[in-house]
Amino acid sequence: MLGLTFAAPLALAALIGLPALWFLLRVTPPRPRRINFPPLKLVADLIPQRQTPARTPPWLLILRLLIAAALILAVAGPVWNAGGVGAGGGRSALLVLLDNGFPAAHDWRDRLRVATDAVEGAARDGRPVAVIGLADAPAAFEAKTPVAALERLRALAPRPTLPTRDAHLATIETFLDKNRGAGLVWISDGVAGAEDTRFAKGLVDLAGDKGAALTVLRADRPPALALTATENAGKLVTHALRAVPNGRDSGVIRALDQKGLPLAERDFTFAADATETEATFELPVELRNSISRLEIAGERSAGAVVLQDERGKRRRVGLVFGGTLDQAQPLLAPTYYLARALQPFADVQEPRGAKGTAESINQLLDNQVSVLVLADVGALDEKTTARIESFVREGGMLLRFAGPRLAAGSDPLVPVRLRRGGRTLGGNLSWDSPKTLAPFPPESPFAGLTPPADIGVRRQILAEPDGDLPNRTWASLQDGTPIVTAQKRGQGTIVLFHVTADTTWSNLPLSGLFIDMLRRVVALAGAAAPAQGEVPRAAAPVLAPRVTLDGFGALGSPPASATAVSADYADLATLEHPPGFYGPPDGGISVNALKPDDRLKPLDTAALDGARFGTLAGAETVDLRPSLFTLALLLLALDTLAGLWLGGFLGRGGLVSRLRGRPAVLALAGVVLLATLPAVPVRAEEPAVNRPNGTESALVTRLAYVITGDAAVDEASRTGLTGLTQMLATRTALEPGEPAGIDPAKDELAFYPLIYWPIAPNRPQPSEIAIRKIDAFMRNGGTILFDTRDALTARPGGPPSPEATYLRTMLATLEVPELEPVPLDHVLTKAFYLVDSFPGRYATGQTWVEALPPAAEGAERRPARAGDGVSPIVITSNDLAAAWAVGRRGEPLYPVVGGDQRQREMAFRGGVNIVMYTLTGNYKADQVHVPALLERLGQ
């Protein structure tokens, strides 16, 4: 079926009048030929050499009917949909299925444009529309008006998870049961979802059973990139992923700390046909542990972000063995078992060249280890004991293992009181058999681990029973005797394994459980210490979401649907558990969009037999009205020439001689000639726009305004900034240059301290390149003044105006700071003049700036921001440029709306304040200290 629709189909009824027009033109003869009446050649000229037809020739009738038909079709507003979006549904409902998982975030604007085209096409056909996001939770839906569908479409945003398409099959089936023969348009991201093993086939089966027409729109090659699989083993390794080779063969991965400051960058490059590559960060362990976030620069997707928590940080662990040299040999010493167990997740250090246990301990403490491991170390001297005690109280962890020396000594660096000697199980002189471990209690850091049944403990150090022993026990044998105990001291922890680190007392070091236990113990190093009297734990059983990622990879407040996760959560993110940080800042965990072993896979489209396919680029609609109007104009020109020929004007003597003295005909011929010339695109604002080059912009301070493409708006911006520039040169020490009109997508923005952006809702939204340059401009210290110019039409509490809707859509993908109305004590109100409002052509609108931090308790004023304190964004609705606009003689060009006669003067003062504020920052905020300074000077 053709993708041709009409905006005003009723206008086609005029085609019925074409037969009547044929009859009317047919009976109307052409203009008779004029014959001059000369006195000398009267007889000769009375006999015409050419006969004038009595009726209009058929070919001229057809030409004129074609002109009428072209005009009628043009008035009907024909629109050709090249991709056939939503075609095949007739007048039935249209269902738009939009993939809105994180793989769709990269080209989200293109997907919204395609979906909007589909909804607008349905509106032209008078069809109801339903829109659902396949990454959202499934819910019942109904077809509504296209206007409601557009509102629903604007509310959709990428989710930070993979789409779960299979879950929507039931609701889609219910919809098709109510709307048989409906049209289905699936705008796919081309990436396999978390649960979509049967979605494609199920959708095709539903379309066949319900008589629905299915159209699948997708990019030629999925452009999404993702990041996963961090390994912090001596170096930090991360993997960049893509579903298929898509031409995006290289990029940059950035490592950021908790404050968002960059720590390192690494380039990555995909091989020709590869879908995975890795990047390595070779940094000191301190810097690696400071990394909180890894991201692909410029990707703006939750899948391109990996968040690092305490579990991903490597601790520096020092090992000390208290035995003799013969026992310290490789494969025999306890440190061998410990080193092999700790190396996968910690940086293991052993003393070099040290003589004696005390010197070894001091050497490791000098190296700033996070965990000090003492394997069968007996009594220590007072100085070493005091240093270890200080190390623990300042947040370090002391991990000790039993042995003959510890059993024979008396040491204060243990979590519980120990009995001398020890307990032997399963020996020749013992009636007991080796004991295995009991299940770990829920409050233990080892909760969730399962002790193997073949674990056997043949000997252990016993703890003296007391009232605190149960609270300090992390693990015990089946008979209840403690095997791992711990105690908090200061900010640190002392942990004791009541068996040796080698196999002399148990076979625990030979099991995988030993590695898991050490991993959890080491993860506690540097975590927040629990309250007094509690046993340190790896994490709380349940952690609430603290900050989460949105679909574009920006951290923010958790959504209402986010729920808590268990402390050992290691699965990929879901709608209930979005990616982000959970739990307290110290000791919490991170959840990511992908698991370390996940990979992006292309969507299997083999089951989509019978569906029509299209691309995102090929789905754009084409308005045929300009072409039809041009065709009608050309045919009209041809009809004019034919009429001149039939009237004898193109006969003997030539056209020029015949037309001499007929200015009206000459003018008509000139218009026809101009209309037939090829159109050359010319920017209407170019003659009046000052577009300086980079050198001029760098040497001269000048204001700038954004060229919207609306000639009236751009002229008001140019004349308004010209008037403000003249006012600045007259009243201040600043002598700015002529204002510059800029295109954010093409021009360099860094030259301008302030950019005025009037909102023209009838113009297209800025491109993705322009949005990214705007974001960089505001991040790097620039200020943009957005003027919606709708103070007269906007109603408080009512629906947003077209200008406000346009601005919201444009700023949707930018990290706009929290805004507030300009406070009375804001620097803007005293940057040059003392003002309390910022009127323009209108005085009823509100002016918004970045919200200042709250005042400290007991302080009268809020503090100024750090840095220059300039808000990167200012929003007003008062049409400032129209109030500033002046003509060549300095006369106002636009009237102001308001009862205050000084409104235009106050508008200029507000404009001067805005410019001085962007140039000088918040230095005048220090005026809050003037009373204190004067008081001190008076003393």
Side-chain angles (χ1 to χ4, degrees):
M1 181 177 291
L2 295 179
L4 183 64
T5 57
F6 294 89
L10 294 180
L12 297 176
L15 294 174
I16 302 176
L18 289 181
L21 182 62
W22 168 277
F23 178 78
L24 181 62
L25 295 176
R26 184 171 179 273
V27 300
T28 302
R31 178 181 178 181
R33 180 185 176 193
R34 291 183 58 185
I35 301 177
N36 295 328
F37 189 73
L40 300 180
K41 300 176 66 176
L42 179 62
V43 178
D45 289 341
L46 285 178
I47 302 175
Q49 297 179 356
R50 181 178 178 181
Q51 298 294 326
T52 300
R55 298 185 178 221
T56 303
W59 59 269
L60 186 58
L61 288 175
I62 296 174
L63 178 63
R64 292 175 177 175
L65 290 178
L66 287 177
I67 295 174
L71 291 175
I72 293 172
L73 292 175
V75 172
V79 178
W80 175 262
N81 189 343
V85 178
R91 294 288 178 177
S92 60
L94 174 67
L95 175 58
V96 178
L97 308 174
L98 181 60
D99 279 345
N100 63 328
F102 70 77
H106 176 75
D107 52 356
W108 181 247
R109 287 179 176 273
D110 294 336
R111 299 179 184 280
L112 280 185
R113 173 183 51 78
V114 173
T116 302
D117 290 343
V119 175
E120 291 177 348
R124 289 189 292 268
D125 295 340
R127 304 167 61 183
V129 186
V131 177
I132 62 172
L134 295 179
D136 294 337
F141 59 91
E142 296 180 354
K144 298 182 179 180
T145 63
V147 175
L150 286 175
E151 290 296 327
R152 164 65 177 156
L153 193 61
R154 295 188 186 101
L156 281 179
R159 298 290 186 179
T161 60
L162 287 170
T164 53
R165 303 184 180 100
D166 285 358
H168 293 272
L169 284 175
T171 55
I172 295 174
E173 182 177 8
T174 303
F175 175 85
L176 294 180
D177 287 337
K178 298 179 181 179
N179 302 272
R180 287 190 169 270
L184 295 178
V185 176
W186 177 17
I187 304 175
S188 171
D189 58 25
V191 178
E195 299 176 4
D196 59 356
T197 55
R198 58 187 181 88
F199 180 78
K201 187 177 187 309
L203 195 62
V204 170
D205 293 342
L206 287 176
D209 295 341
K210 312 299 181 182
L214 176 60
T215 301
V216 180
L217 302 178
R218 57 181 180 175
D220 293 333
R221 293 177 292 179
L225 299 180
L227 203 61
T228 187
T230 57
E231 303 170 9
N232 195 352
K235 55 186 178 180
L236 186 62
V237 180
T238 184
H239 295 258
L241 311 173
R242 57 183 180 180
V244 296
N246 53 15
R248 305 182 66 192
D249 298 328
S250 61
V252 176
I253 299 177
R254 296 187 300 186
L256 310 175
D257 63 7
Q258 289 185 350
K259 297 181 179 180
L261 301 177
L263 296 177
E265 291 185 351
R266 291 293 182 271
D267 296 333
F268 68 89
T269 303
F270 289 99
D273 298 325
T275 58
E276 178 182 353
T277 188
E278 69 177 33
T280 302
F281 291 84
E282 297 182 356
L283 301 171
V285 65
E286 291 82 4
L287 284 180
R288 296 204 309 272
N289 288 342
S290 298
I291 295 175
S292 176
R293 174 187 176 112
L294 294 167
E295 64 180 15
I296 299 178
E299 183 61 14
R300 290 185 55 79
S301 164
V305 176
V306 172
L307 302 176
Q308 293 279 92
D309 57 18
E310 294 292 331
R311 297 175 298 181
K313 296 181 180 180
R314 289 180 68 86
R315 308 299 182 187
R316 182 176 290 162
V317 180
L319 304 182
V320 177
F321 176 45
T324 59
L325 292 178
D326 60 331
Q327 293 177 311
Q329 295 177 4
L331 306 181
L332 297 178
T335 51
Y336 172 77
Y337 294 91
L338 291 171
R340 295 292 299 272
L342 291 168
Q343 280 175 352
F345 53 85
D347 287 339
V348 179
Q349 295 187 2
E350 296 188 48
R352 295 183 180 181
K355 297 178 181 179
T357 303
E359 187 176 344
S360 299
I361 293 174
N362 289 324
Q363 183 184 118
L364 294 176
L365 294 180
D366 290 339
N367 292 339
Q368 298 182 347
V369 295
S370 300
V371 182
L372 179 63
V373 181
L374 303 182
D376 192 17
V377 173
L380 297 170
D381 59 78
E382 294 182 2
K383 184 177 180 180
T384 304
T385 301
R387 186 171 185 188
I388 296 176
E389 185 80 23
S390 175
F391 163 75
V392 174
R393 292 190 179 277
E394 292 176 358
M397 171 171 284
L398 176 61
L399 175 59
R400 304 196 66 176
F401 286 86
R405 292 164 186 80
L406 183 61
S410 177
D411 197 331
L413 297 175
V414 290
V416 294
R417 291 186 301 113
L418 302 177
R419 290 184 182 180
R420 284 182 174 272
R423 177 191 182 193
T424 302
L425 304 171
N428 293 330
L429 301 178
S430 174
W431 292 98
D432 294 331
S433 60
K435 302 294 184 181
T436 188
L437 297 179
F440 300 116
E443 65 273 9
S444 170
F446 307 137
L449 300 179
T450 303
D454 57 352
I455 294 289
V457 176
R458 297 182 298 275
R459 185 176 178 182
Q460 67 175 130
I461 292 182
L462 294 176
E464 291 286 356
D466 58 28
D468 291 336
L469 184 59
N471 292 332
R472 298 179 182 180
T473 300
W474 283 5
S476 59
L477 298 179
Q478 288 181 331
D479 60 1
T481 56
I483 198 67
V484 181
T485 56
Q487 181 190 26
K488 182 185 77 71
R489 291 194 185 177
Q491 299 298 318
T493 309
I494 297 178
V495 182
L496 172 63
F497 278 70
H498 291 239
V499 294
T500 58
D502 57 15
T503 59
T504 55
W505 287 18
S506 71
N507 63 350
L508 177 63
L510 298 178
S511 67
L513 177 65
F514 187 64
I515 299 175
D516 293 334
M517 295 174 72
L518 290 180
R519 184 192 301 271
R520 296 199 178 187
V521 171
V522 171
L524 292 175
Q532 184 67 31
E534 293 183 358
V535 176
R537 303 176 186 179
V542 177
L543 302 176
R546 177 162 47 91
V547 289
T548 57
L549 293 173
D550 62 12
F552 294 107
L555 281 173
S557 300
S561 59
T563 59
V565 299
S566 60
D568 57 351
Y569 188 85
D571 205 349
L572 79 166
T574 63
L575 289 178
E576 294 78 16
H577 309 310
F581 290 107
Y582 289 72
D586 295 327
I589 66 170
S590 63
V591 176
N592 289 300
L594 295 174
K595 294 187 295 184
D597 56 347
D598 284 341
R599 297 294 180 267
L600 291 185
K601 298 179 181 179
L603 183 66
D604 185 9
T605 58
L608 295 173
D609 294 333
R612 296 193 309 147
F613 288 91
T615 64
L616 300 183
E620 295 184 1
T621 58
V622 179
D623 192 347
L624 299 180
R625 285 177 294 184
S627 300
L628 289 174
F629 277 121
T630 302
L631 176 63
L633 185 60
L634 293 175
L635 293 178
L636 185 61
L638 186 60
D639 177 77
T640 301
L641 294 176
L644 293 174
W645 179 68
L646 291 176
F649 290 100
L650 301 181
R652 250 179 340 167
L655 179 62
V656 176
S657 61
R658 297 282 184 177
L659 295 180
R660 185 179 295 116
R662 296 178 174 87
V665 179
L666 286 174
L668 177 62
V671 171
V672 173
L673 180 62
L674 290 176
T676 57
L677 291 177
V680 179
V682 178
R683 298 180 62 151
E685 69 275 4
E686 283 297 332
V689 173
N690 178 24
R691 300 181 70 102
N693 58 37
T695 303
E696 295 175 349
S697 298
L699 296 178
V700 180
T701 301
R702 64 181 74 240
L703 307 179
Y705 64 93
V706 173
I707 299 173
T708 64
D710 188 315
V713 174
D714 294 340
E715 178 63 16
S717 299
R718 185 188 67 83
T719 55
L721 291 191
T722 299
L724 181 59
T725 296
Q726 295 174 1
M727 194 64 62
L728 287 167
T730 303
R731 301 186 179 185
T732 71
L734 176 65
E735 295 183 0
E738 288 295 322
I742 60 173
D743 182 350
K746 300 178 181 179
D747 296 327
E748 177 57 55
L749 308 182
F751 298 126
Y752 310 103
L754 176 66
I755 297 177
Y756 177 77
W757 194 320
I759 301 303
N762 59 330
R763 304 302 302 165
Q765 284 282 343
S767 64
E768 184 67 22
I769 296 177
I771 293 295
R772 299 283 70 80
K773 293 183 69 174
I774 294 167
D775 185 46
F777 175 75
M778 293 194 296
R779 285 176 179 272
N780 294 328
T783 298
I784 299 182
L785 173 56
F786 292 101
D787 194 341
T788 57
R789 306 177 299 113
D790 60 348
L792 198 62
T793 58
R795 294 291 181 267
S801 64
E803 292 83 0
T805 302
Y806 183 97
L807 182 60
R808 289 180 184 177
T809 303
M810 181 171 64
L811 300 180
T813 58
L814 294 177
E815 296 183 12
V816 178
E818 182 182 357
L819 302 178
E820 66 175 354
V822 178
L824 294 178
D825 60 344
H826 198 278
V827 182
L828 259 177
T829 63
K830 53 191 174 185
F832 193 83
Y833 290 102
L834 294 178
V835 299
D836 55 5
S837 62
F838 296 87
R841 188 178 185 184
Y842 315 113
T844 58
Q846 187 66 264
T847 302
W848 299 78
V849 295
E850 181 181 0
L852 293 175
E857 185 176 356
E860 296 181 359
R861 298 175 182 268
R862 295 185 291 181
R865 291 177 54 219
D868 62 359
V870 177
S871 173
I873 182 173
V874 179
I875 301 178
T876 184
S877 58
N878 283 332
D879 197 0
L880 301 183
W884 301 333
V886 296
R888 293 185 178 181
R889 296 184 298 274
E891 73 281 6
L893 296 181
Y894 302 94
V896 296
V897 179
D900 189 357
Q901 299 299 323
R902 301 178 68 247
Q903 182 173 327
R904 193 181 303 276
E905 170 63 22
M906 298 308 296
F908 275 116
R909 293 187 180 187
V912 171
N913 272 25
I914 293 174
V915 175
M916 302 308 292
Y917 167 68
T918 58
L919 293 175
T920 62
N922 65 353
Y923 81 100
K924 284 205 173 182
D926 289 337
Q927 289 182 354
V928 298
H929 305 299
V930 169
L933 293 175
L934 293 177
E935 182 180 355
R936 294 185 62 182
L937 289 175
Q939 295 176 354

